Amino acid sequence: MPLDPAKQQLSEKQRISPEMCETELDGVSELMDLLRMDLEADGEEGKAGRRDAACSKNVLRKQRHWERQLAAKKSKRKEEKQRRRLNRAQESGANTDSAQFTKRVMKAITKERLAAARSTGLKLCVDLSMTDCMSDKEISRLAGQLRRLYGSNKKATWPFHLFLTDLKEDGRLYRECVRMNDGFLSYTMEITEESCLDLFSSETIVYLTPDAQEALETVDADKVYVLGGLVDESIQKKLSHSRATELSVHTARLPIDEYMVKKNNVKNFHSKILAVNQVFDILLMFSETGSWTQALQMWFPAGKGYVISQESSACFPAATQTQQEEQ
């Protein structure tokens, strides 16, 4: 008897089922192998990624550490620089205050001395009546000499009472003094257009000139000493002596011949002509020390070809040849 078709199909399915199952199992196994391979591959990639990430973190950590160290060093250098700057500012401020204090004190002392010299100091005039004989260059040099003369007087323990006589306000020398010498119009000295004879009697005046016959032996508070304000590069003879003769006043010269001798030199040059400020420096030191030897040795220029004589040196052993050569 023939089988029912449905049963026949079921029977056929039952027959092929083990084969199909085996095939399906093989497929599942292959699929699992593929999945396992994928997982292993992902695992390897993950490990590599983690290694790369770890390396990147190490690099970043080292870089941040280096940057922190660099920033710390920069900050330390900046702080050190600021500290040094502050210390310098403090030290400079202290030194400046000290210097300013000393300067103020010295300025006050100098002012008092110069003020006292107007009543008690030795009197010295610079006769500026001969400027018409000078060139513009000589006028400029004389203005510089007057500045140095005043500077020496300011430093002196016992300054002179200074007078600039015959100084015309509309003259070349006046204008040059104002131009060259800061604070000239504030100098603590008498600046006048009058002559020394207008200010003092002729009997009290001693005109210092290198052409005088008599040597100056000492300085007297009752006398007025006059220097010829003259720069003469043309070496005109006896100009200051002629001016003293014109004024009919007593003349004297520095005791160069009495305390100094000629010194041999290559040019065989010997001169007793000194600048106004050089004569004043010699007078100033003599008035303070009472020693012509010391005054001449200190302030007579070595280039003039004279040195202190041995006899004078014996009277003043403290003076040395080195001092003279430095002048």
Side-chain angles (χ1 to χ4, degrees):
M1 186 173 92
L3 294 172
D4 184 59
K7 292 181 179 180
Q8 187 176 358
Q9 291 177 358
L10 177 61
S11 177
E12 291 176 356
K13 288 181 178 179
Q14 290 175 346
R15 286 196 302 267
I16 64 174
S17 178
E19 297 175 355
M20 292 178 62
C21 287
E22 185 177 355
T23 302
E24 290 176 358
L25 287 173
D26 291 340
V28 171
S29 177
E30 291 177 359
L31 180 60
M32 292 298 294
D33 290 338
L34 291 173
L35 289 173
R36 191 179 299 111
M37 291 174 63
D38 290 340
L39 289 174
E40 289 176 355
D42 291 342
E44 293 296 330
E45 291 177 358
K47 289 180 181 178
R50 284 193 296 273
R51 285 196 298 269
D52 293 342
C55 290
S56 298
K57 288 180 180 179
N58 287 336
V59 172
L60 290 174
R61 185 168 58 254
K62 290 180 180 179
Q63 183 175 354
R64 285 195 294 269
H65 179 69
W66 178 80
E67 289 175 349
R68 285 195 297 270
Q69 284 185 327
L70 183 62
K73 289 181 180 179
K74 287 183 178 179
S75 178
K76 186 176 180 180
R77 284 197 298 267
K78 185 176 181 180
E79 291 176 359
E80 183 66 19
K81 187 181 293 185
Q82 291 176 345
R83 184 182 63 80
R84 288 197 301 266
R85 186 182 297 115
L86 179 61
N87 289 340
R88 284 197 302 267
Q90 291 175 346
E91 291 174 1
S92 177
N95 293 337
T96 301
D97 293 342
S98 178
Q100 289 177 348
F101 176 76
T102 303
K103 187 176 181 180
R104 288 196 298 269
V105 171
M106 293 306 300
K107 187 175 182 179
I109 292 174
T110 298
K111 187 175 181 180
E112 290 179 1
R113 287 176 177 173
L114 292 174
R118 283 180 158 168
S119 57
T120 62
L122 294 168
K123 298 178 182 63
L124 183 134
C125 297
V126 182
D127 178 14
L128 302 172
S129 63
M130 295 173 281
T131 55
D132 291 340
C133 303
M134 292 186 283
S135 65
D136 290 342
K137 180 181 178 181
E138 292 167 341
I139 289 288
S140 182
R141 288 183 58 189
L142 180 56
Q145 292 176 13
L146 293 177
R147 179 182 66 247
R148 290 188 286 273
L149 184 152
Y150 181 70
S152 295
N153 201 49
K154 283 178 63 177
K155 297 175 184 177
T157 304
W158 305 104
F160 278 64
H161 184 190
L162 299 179
F163 297 79
L164 300 185
T165 60
D166 287 284
L167 183 57
K168 312 297 182 184
E169 288 191 13
D170 59 350
R172 290 180 300 157
L173 179 60
Y174 185 92
R175 291 194 298 269
E176 191 68 1
C177 285
V178 173
R179 185 187 70 84
M180 288 182 58
N181 307 337
D182 293 338
F184 173 74
L185 298 179
S186 300
Y187 282 4
T188 307
M189 61 168 61
E190 318 305 328
I191 301 175
T192 177
E193 295 187 0
E194 296 180 300
S195 72
C196 55
L197 281 181
D198 296 327
L199 302 175
F200 307 101
S201 64
S202 60
E203 291 80 10
T204 62
I205 294 176
V206 178
Y207 206 112
L208 297 177
T209 168
D211 301 304
Q213 295 296 320
E214 182 181 342
L216 184 67
E217 296 181 2
T218 188
V219 290
D220 188 343
D222 295 329
K223 299 294 183 179
V224 179
Y225 299 92
V226 180
L227 305 181
L230 179 66
V231 175
D232 181 23
E233 294 183 346
S234 63
I235 314 298
Q236 299 181 53
K237 297 290 186 178
K238 300 185 177 181
L239 283 177
S240 58
H241 190 271
S242 297
R243 172 60 176 166
T245 301
E246 177 186 337
L247 296 174
S248 299
V249 295
H250 185 70
T251 61
R253 57 176 172 80
L254 292 178
I256 297 172
D257 293 334
E258 285 72 18
Y259 290 87
M260 307 187 80
V261 294
K262 291 181 178 180
K263 178 183 178 181
N264 293 330
N265 56 71
V266 176
K267 296 182 180 180
N268 195 29
F269 175 76
H270 304 90
S271 175
K272 303 174 188 175
I273 308 300
L274 304 179
V276 172
N277 59 293
Q278 292 170 341
V279 176
F280 178 73
D281 285 334
I282 293 171
L283 282 177
L284 189 60
M285 176 160 280
F286 175 77
S287 69
E288 293 180 350
T289 64
S291 170
W292 283 116
T293 301
Q294 184 176 359
L296 290 168
Q297 179 139 358
M298 179 63 70
W299 293 110
F300 193 93
K304 296 291 184 178
Y306 283 84
V307 294
I308 295 294
S309 64
Q310 292 183 356
E311 293 81 3
S312 299
S313 297
C315 296
F316 182 59
T320 64
Q321 185 67 25
T322 302
Q323 287 177 311
Q324 184 177 11
E325 291 176 353
E326 290 177 352
Q327 302 307 315

